[in-house]
């Protein structure tokens, strides 16, 4: 140890020693850094990094040796042979490569020691070869013991370096390993040098090419510095580039780097998205894969279409940027795949335009399609058929079997419609059990007739109404452009009208719109629609027609008759709208309203006259009709005995027993039951006996012909006789002339009603009379007669 230190102190130029140590340290730092880098790389790249590391290490060792030799002051000048010098550097690099390979790749816990051993041998052999390069006029005398000691120390330190590299983490791993490796190299060199003897042999001839000390110094310094710097810059450049590429590849967006308008690079995402490899893309114009619009500013977004390798078109969004890439001014296209977004947009679009349950077109898209179809048809002068389709019995199935079953049926119907409709036809569900079809581009009405047949057949084939309680049928209404209308509204309306007729013609039918036939239907539908709001809009009022006692001529009561002040149509007679109200069910509300009005009115009358109110057969379908009537009596305070309910025989057609039970209960309450329109029905007599009738009203059709028709007169006589024999009051309505009155009186009819005695009026004369009385008693300006003659004010 002492001799080594003495050797360094006495025989070396310490400044050059410092230089050698620095070169050695830099070489080893580079080597360890490269080795560190190798550990981070994929296996494929690992070897190249390790080779670079070996190069840095080997050159470092070699340079250290020769700089140290320059520092050595051996009392006479030394020159070196080129061949051996070159061999020494090769040995140094080769040994380093082998040592690194063993230390890092050998799968053994002692790999570090193996690496250390090889490294030490390598350093020793490099050292000796380097010594052998010294000109042949000098003999080198080694001390074998110290050479062995140098080898062992070197081995221990080199192993320790590899061990440290394996065990430590982070930058410490590189620093500590490099420093220990420097110690190993220095130890071998100086231990060996401290015992070496150089014996000059002046007589020997020099055969080899020689390098002067100064030249060698220059070469060594230059080569080592260059190599080490190269190694270091490689570390930074490579890590920088790899990281950049990794970053680019990790990006969710495709990146295309363009240089002078041509593709220079593409990241993995772009290659994956397009299916094109980098090799295929490189050098091409971007327009070969991207349908780009004119590129604008630096960060402008553009929609474009990317042609993939498999020829599919991918919608993309492109953003353009500029950057310096690999030292060149490049354009970067950031390509974002819009497939998912487009899909989501399409889904939202689909939801907005389709029925969720059946997947059919919904009303909004149907309207749009219809308008487009009409525009097309107008241009091409072609025809269109509009189908309105409504399921029969659907409401009942839905109510009885539940909504799930209802939904299932709607889906089945939708499937049938889709199957039979043509490809260009639009099948839509407009809501509930309402469907519609637009049939285009076919000769009409033949095509519509055919499709209607297919729909009805398809439904009949799949839904056996006779056996399956959930099976439904359908009614169809069809309107054809241009003959049945030119606008969408007109056509839909007419198809709807035709559907209405189809439903009334017995379900399971298809009807084409027919202007004449559907005019009546349209009017009915109009009334039906308007009638729904008549009560709330205060368009209804009640007229009162007096009923007189035949004997005294005194008013015994009034019949309440409804009137409708229909906007645009004047006063509507009940003949026009009652039947429609019965069909739509509006009569229930209407009838109740009239009853309430009439009872309230009668309750105000000064005399306890009767009030007759007509009750429609439809109202008897209400299970609680009796309770409702009772409630109205309670509400208005009218005694039941003053109320007469006029019932026609049609009321008994449906639920005879139910209706009888209701009438019985009302009769027991004291309400009087009148059989209206007597003589026009079929089973009058049987009804008369079985039912609690208090009065019969002879139909006005008999009264009108009494004067000339002997048969009519005998029927009237029979009815009156029947009434007497059953103890039932009889009233004859429709008495218009004095002669009719005389006949009716002669035949012994108790009461009379008709225009002869008074027309239905807004204010019953009993009220006017009461008011006239009041006025005359209290000295009113007008006389009672005047008031009586006074026209009732319009409400
Ligand atoms: P109805 O019950 O047989 O009513 C008598 C009809 O004969 C009334 O017609 C009345 O104005 C009319 N009339 C009265 N005197 C004469 C006459 O001397 N000669 C002729 N030819 N006719 C006369 P209106 O008011 O047009 O009512 C027609 C029908 O409408 C009624 O026949 C009744 O069935 C129904 N109706 C009227 N109001 C109501 C109501 O509030 N509820 C229900 N369910 N039906 C009503
Ligand atoms: Ca009546
Ligand atoms: Ca009548």
């Amino acid at each position: 140890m002492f001799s080594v230190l003495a050797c360094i102190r006495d025989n070396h130029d310490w400044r050059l020693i410092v230089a050698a140590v620095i070169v050695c340290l830099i070489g080893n730092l580079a080597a360890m850094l490269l080795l560190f880098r190798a550990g981070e790389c994929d296996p494929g790249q690992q070897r190249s990094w390790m080779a670079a590391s070996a190069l840095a290490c080997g050159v470092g060792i070699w340079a250290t040796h020769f700089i140290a030799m320059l520092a050595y002051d051996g009392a006479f000048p030394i020159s070196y042979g080129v061949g051996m010098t070159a061999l020494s550097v090769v040995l140094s690099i080769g040994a380093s490569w082998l040592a690194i390979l063993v230390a890092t790749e050998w799968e053994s816990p002692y790999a570090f020691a193996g690496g250390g051993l090889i490294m030490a041998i390598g350093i020793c052999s490099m050292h000796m070869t380097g010594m052998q390069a010294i000109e042949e006029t000098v003999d080198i005398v080694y001390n074998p013991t110290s050479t062995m000691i140098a080898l062992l120390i070197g081995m221990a330190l080199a192993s320790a370096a590899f061990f440290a590299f394996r065990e430590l983490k982070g930058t410490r791993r590189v620093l500590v390993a490099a420093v220990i490796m420097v110690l190993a190299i220095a130890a071998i060199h100086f231990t060996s040098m401290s015992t070496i003897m150089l014996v000059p042999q002046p007589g020997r001839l020099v055969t080899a090419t020689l390098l002067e000390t100064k030249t060698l110094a220059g070469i060594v310094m230059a080569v080592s510095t260059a190599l080490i710097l190269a190694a270091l810059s490689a570390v930074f450049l490579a890590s920088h580039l790899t990281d950049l590429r990794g970053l680019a590849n990790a990006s969710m967006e495709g990146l295309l780097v363009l240089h002078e308008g041509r593709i220079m690079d593409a990241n993995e995402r772009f290659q994956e998205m397009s299916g094109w490899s980098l090799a295929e893309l490189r050098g091409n114009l971007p327009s070969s894969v991207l349908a780009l619009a004119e590129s604008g500013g630096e960060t402008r977004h553009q929609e474009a279409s990317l042609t993939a390798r498999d020829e599919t078109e991918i919608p993309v969004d492109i953003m353009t940027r500029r950057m310096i890439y690999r030292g060149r001014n490049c354009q970067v296209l950031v390509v974002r795949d819009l497939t998912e977004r487009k899909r989501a947009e399409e889904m939202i679009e689909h939801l907005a335009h389709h029925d969720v349950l059946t997947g059919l077109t919904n009303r909004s898209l149907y309207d749009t399609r219809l308008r487009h179809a009409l525009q097309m048809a107008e241009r091409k002068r072609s025809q269109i058929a509009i189908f309105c389709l409504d399921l029969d019995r659907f409401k009942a199935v839905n109510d009885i079997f539940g909504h799930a079953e209802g939904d299932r049926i709607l889906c089945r119907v939708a499937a049938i419609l889709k199957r039979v409709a043509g490809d260009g036809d639009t099948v839509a569900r407009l809501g509930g059990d309402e469907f519609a079809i637009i049939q285009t581009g076919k000769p009409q009405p033949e095509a519509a007739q055919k499709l209607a047949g297919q729909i009805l057949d398809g439904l009949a084939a799949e839904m056996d109404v006779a056996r399956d309680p959930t099976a439904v049928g359908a009614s169809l209404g069809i309107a054809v452009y241009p003959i049945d209308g030119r606008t969408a509204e007109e056509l839909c309306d007419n198809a709807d009208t035709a559907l209405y007729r189809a439903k009334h013609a017995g379900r399971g039918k298809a009807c084409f719109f027919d202007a004449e036939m559907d005019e009546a239907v349209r009017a009915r539908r109009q009334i039906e629609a308007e009638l729904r709001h008549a009560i709330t809009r205060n368009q209804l009022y009640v007229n009162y027609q007096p009923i007189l006692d035949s004997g005294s001529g005194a008013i015994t009561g009034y019949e309440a008759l409804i009137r409708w002040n229909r906007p645009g149509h004047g006063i509507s007679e009940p003949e026009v709208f009652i039947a429609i109200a019965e069909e739509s069910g509006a009569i229930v509300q209407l009838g109740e309203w009239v009853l309430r009005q009439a009872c309230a009115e009668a309750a105000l009358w000064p005399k306890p006259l009767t009030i007759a109110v007509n009750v429609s057969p439809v109202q008897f379908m209400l299970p609680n009709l009796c309770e409702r009537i009772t409630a109205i009596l309670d509400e208005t305070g009218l005694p039941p005995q003053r109320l007469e309910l006029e019932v026609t025989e049609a009321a008994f057609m449906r639920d005879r027993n139910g209706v009888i039970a209701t009438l019985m209960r009302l009769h027991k309450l004291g309400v009087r039951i009148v059989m209206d329109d007597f003589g026009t029905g079929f089973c009058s007599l049987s009804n008369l006996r079985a039912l609690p009738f208090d009065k019969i009203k002879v139909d006005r059709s008999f009264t009108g012909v009494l004067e000339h028709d002997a048969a009519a007169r005998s029927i009237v006589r029979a009815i009156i006789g029947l009434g007497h024999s059953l103890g039932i009051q009889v009233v004859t309505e429709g008495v218009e002339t004095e002669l009719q009155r005389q006949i009716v009186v002669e035949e012994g009819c108790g009461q009379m009603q008709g225009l002869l005695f008074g027309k239905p009026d807004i204010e019953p004369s009993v009220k006017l009379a009461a008011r006239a009385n009041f006025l005359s008693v209290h000295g009113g300006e007008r006389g009672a007669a005047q008031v009586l003659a006074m026209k009732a004010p319009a409400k």
Side-chain angles (χ1 to χ4, degrees):
M1 188 64 191
F2 179 74
S3 65
V4 174
L5 292 177
C7 164
I8 295 170
R9 189 195 59 207
D10 301 336
N11 301 344
H12 289 78
D13 179 341
W14 66 270
R15 286 164 303 190
L16 280 168
I17 291 284
V18 170
V21 169
I22 289 172
V23 168
C24 189
L25 190 63
I26 291 172
N28 276 289
L29 275 174
M32 289 303 165
L33 256 173
L34 287 161
L35 204 55
F36 177 69
R37 183 80 213 160
E40 287 183 330
C41 285
D42 297 339
Q45 294 184 351
Q46 234 162 25
R47 285 291 167 88
S48 356
W49 289 110
M50 279 158 68
S53 171
L55 185 75
C57 184
V59 170
I61 293 165
W62 181 79
T64 309
H65 172 85
F66 279 93
I67 298 168
M69 284 307 290
L70 291 175
Y72 182 68
D73 179 15
F76 50 88
I78 303 174
S79 18
Y80 299 86
V82 174
M84 283 306 231
T85 307
L87 178 67
S88 67
V89 76
V90 172
L91 259 176
S92 174
I93 295 169
S96 301
W97 165 237
L98 208 63
I100 287 171
L101 211 62
V102 169
T104 54
E105 302 227 318
W106 184 28
E107 283 178 10
S108 153
Y110 303 108
F112 70 94
L117 175 65
I118 295 168
M119 188 59 101
I121 293 170
I123 299 167
C124 276
S125 44
M126 184 271 131
H127 178 78
M128 284 174 165
T129 325
M131 295 305 284
Q132 287 304 310
I134 293 174
E135 65 181 72
E136 288 156 45
T137 53
V138 177
D139 268 350
I140 302 154
V141 182
Y142 293 98
N143 180 338
T145 323
S146 63
T147 306
M148 271 318 284
I149 293 170
L151 182 71
L152 286 175
I153 296 171
M155 193 192 105
L157 285 170
S159 300
F162 283 127
F163 184 76
F165 185 79
R166 192 183 77 183
E167 295 300 316
L168 296 177
K169 297 265 171 292
T171 43
R172 275 173 60 201
R173 168 179 202 205
V174 171
L175 284 175
V176 173
V179 168
I180 299 176
M181 198 56 91
V182 169
L183 288 177
I185 295 162
I188 290 174
H189 184 85
F190 292 112
T191 311
S192 170
M193 284 305 288
S194 66
T195 56
I196 250 172
M197 298 254 292
L198 298 178
V199 184
Q201 302 288 331
R204 206 179 282 169
L205 269 173
V206 180
T207 51
T209 319
L210 293 182
L211 293 167
E212 279 305 308
T213 311
K214 280 186 183 153
T215 320
L216 180 75
I219 292 173
V220 168
M221 289 299 270
V223 167
S224 58
T225 314
L227 274 173
I228 289 164
L229 282 179
L232 277 176
S233 56
V235 170
F236 287 108
L237 195 69
S239 74
H240 184 67
L241 280 184
T242 311
D243 290 349
L244 208 64
R245 176 145 274 282
L247 197 68
N249 285 339
S251 163
M252 292 307 291
E253 268 107 33
L255 299 175
L256 266 189
V257 183
L258 311 182
H259 179 59
E260 290 174 348
R262 294 195 174 262
I263 300 173
M264 177 170 130
D265 202 354
N267 71 344
E268 279 174 8
R269 175 76 188 113
F270 185 85
Q271 296 173 49
E272 177 192 314
M273 198 195 291
S274 64
W276 298 105
S277 70
L278 182 55
E280 288 167 318
L281 291 167
R282 201 171 269 153
N284 281 312
L285 292 170
S287 56
S288 62
V289 287
L290 284 168
L292 256 179
E294 187 62 28
S295 87
E298 289 284 281
T299 58
R300 170 105 55 87
H301 279 271
Q302 281 178 297
E303 295 231 338
S305 154
L306 168 65
T307 313
R309 200 166 197 277
D310 59 6
E311 290 183 359
T312 50
E313 294 289 323
I314 303 166
V316 290
D317 168 89
I318 294 181
M319 205 167 74
T320 317
R321 285 191 189 280
R322 295 214 150 265
M323 72 166 205
I324 302 295
Y325 182 66
R326 292 189 186 155
R328 291 184 241 188
N329 190 354
C330 294
Q331 196 181 20
V332 182
L333 302 186
V334 183
V335 182
R336 184 181 300 156
D337 187 348
L338 297 181
T339 312
E340 280 305 312
R341 206 178 79 190
K342 289 267 176 208
R343 205 170 287 159
E345 280 172 4
E346 275 167 21
M347 179 121 120
I348 292 167
E349 172 102 351
H350 183 88
L351 285 177
H353 290 134
H354 291 81
D355 171 40
V356 181
L357 177 66
T358 60
L360 293 180
T361 303
N362 67 7
R363 188 181 286 277
S364 100
L365 183 58
Y366 170 81
D367 287 345
T368 317
R369 290 256 177 94
L370 181 55
R371 266 164 242 284
H372 285 172
L374 287 173
Q375 281 169 5
M376 285 287 283
E378 196 177 310
R379 228 177 298 139
K380 292 188 182 174
R381 299 184 175 281
S382 59
Q383 292 173 305
I384 302 174
I386 311 291
F387 288 65
C388 273
L389 189 144
D390 198 297
L391 298 186
D392 304 330
R393 297 189 339 114
F394 178 75
K395 198 180 153 1
V397 170
N398 208 28
D399 288 350
I400 297 167
F401 297 97
H403 288 278
E405 187 59 30
D407 287 355
R408 201 182 61 82
I409 286 171
L410 290 173
C411 290
R412 275 177 76 188
V413 172
I416 294 171
L417 295 181
K418 253 194 266 182
R419 202 183 60 219
V420 297
D423 288 339
D425 300 346
T426 298
V427 181
R429 178 174 170 227
L430 304 183
D433 62 340
E434 231 186 297
F435 294 86
I437 300 173
I438 308 169
Q439 192 184 37
T440 52
K442 298 200 178 80
Q444 300 296 356
E446 296 77 14
Q449 215 144 25
K450 190 170 160 221
L451 180 55
Q454 284 172 329
I455 292 170
L456 295 178
D457 290 350
L459 277 168
E462 276 199 34
M463 305 217 181
D464 186 353
V465 186
R467 269 191 239 143
D468 181 1
T470 66
V472 294
S475 299
L476 287 166
I478 307 162
V480 175
Y481 169 89
I483 51 163
D484 296 335
R486 295 194 149 267
T487 65
E489 289 74 25
E490 211 180 336
L491 283 166
C492 289
D493 212 40
N494 289 346
D496 227 29
T497 307
L499 170 66
Y500 190 90
R501 189 154 48 83
K503 276 188 167 280
H504 284 262
R507 289 141 188 271
K509 289 207 166 60
C511 283
F512 275 87
F513 175 73
D514 177 309
E516 263 171 52
M517 284 171 81
D518 284 319
E519 194 38 56
V521 175
R522 180 190 303 282
R524 277 179 85 94
R525 293 183 58 210
Q526 188 79 31
I527 289 174
E528 196 178 305
E530 287 179 28
L531 204 52
R532 255 178 243 136
H533 311 288
I535 295 181
T536 50
R537 290 179 188 167
N538 275 329
Q539 295 167 358
L540 297 175
Y541 62 93
V542 181
N543 269 352
Y544 299 91
Q545 186 176 32
I547 299 171
L548 286 79
D549 182 86
S550 303
S552 65
I555 293 174
T556 60
Y558 287 87
E559 177 177 2
L561 295 161
I562 192 166
R563 294 292 178 268
W564 178 18
N565 187 0
R566 188 175 166 211
H569 293 79
I571 308 299
S572 263
E573 298 292 315
E575 307 276 44
V576 179
F577 62 86
I578 289 294
I580 297 171
E582 286 179 333
E583 213 163 88
S584 69
I587 192 69
V588 171
Q589 208 192 351
L590 231 68
E592 218 167 284
W593 181 83
V594 173
L595 185 67
R596 185 173 288 114
Q597 293 291 118
C599 291
E601 173 71 38
L604 298 176
W605 294 340
K607 291 183 192 161
L609 304 181
T610 57
I611 175 75
V613 179
N614 295 286
V615 182
S616 160
V618 177
Q619 288 176 268
F620 283 96
M621 285 160 74
L622 286 177
N624 61 344
L625 180 66
C626 184
E627 285 76 10
R628 284 172 182 233
I629 292 172
T630 319
I632 289 172
L633 286 172
D634 285 348
E635 195 183 304
T636 55
L638 188 79
Q641 292 74 17
R642 287 182 59 196
L643 178 63
E644 291 182 342
L645 295 181
E646 299 199 358
V647 185
T648 58
E649 281 168 315
F652 306 100
M653 303 288 275
R654 223 185 273 242
D655 174 21
R656 191 181 155 86
N657 294 334
V659 174
I660 292 174
T662 305
L663 289 178
M664 286 291 193
R665 288 174 62 198
L666 288 165
H667 177 74
K668 283 209 183 98
L669 275 176
V671 174
R672 292 160 56 83
I673 313 294
V674 182
M675 173 152 280
D676 203 355
D677 302 343
F678 194 81
T680 56
F682 303 102
C683 45
S684 309
L685 283 176
S686 59
N687 280 341
L688 265 191
R689 284 209 196 87
L691 300 176
F693 282 111
D694 302 285
K695 197 193 253 189
I696 310 169
K697 197 175 231 184
V698 179
D699 191 69
R700 61 181 187 277
S701 60
F702 296 106
T703 324
V705 292
L706 272 182
E707 293 148 333
H708 326 286
D709 192 335
R713 186 166 178 166
S714 53
I715 290 173
V716 170
R717 186 182 303 139
I719 295 172
I720 294 168
L722 190 71
H724 285 167
S725 67
L726 290 172
I728 300 175
Q729 247 186 338
V730 179
V731 53
T732 300
E733 68 175 356
V735 180
E736 293 178 357
T737 62
E738 179 54 29
L739 188 56
Q740 286 166 6
R741 187 191 72 80
Q742 277 173 16
I743 296 171
V744 171
V745 172
E746 272 170 32
E747 295 300 341
C749 181
Q751 290 184 334
M752 290 179 295
Q753 178 184 359
L755 296 178
L756 183 66
F757 316 110
K759 60 181 181 52
D761 220 334
I762 192 154
E763 278 198 271
S765 50
V766 59
K767 211 169 167 186
L768 294 174
R771 206 184 298 160
N773 261 338
F774 176 87
L775 288 173
S776 61
V777 167
H778 292 87
E781 282 164 12
R782 291 187 208 146
Q786 255 181 306
V787 175
L788 264 173
M790 194 171 75
K791 261 241 160 272
K795 251 185 201 168

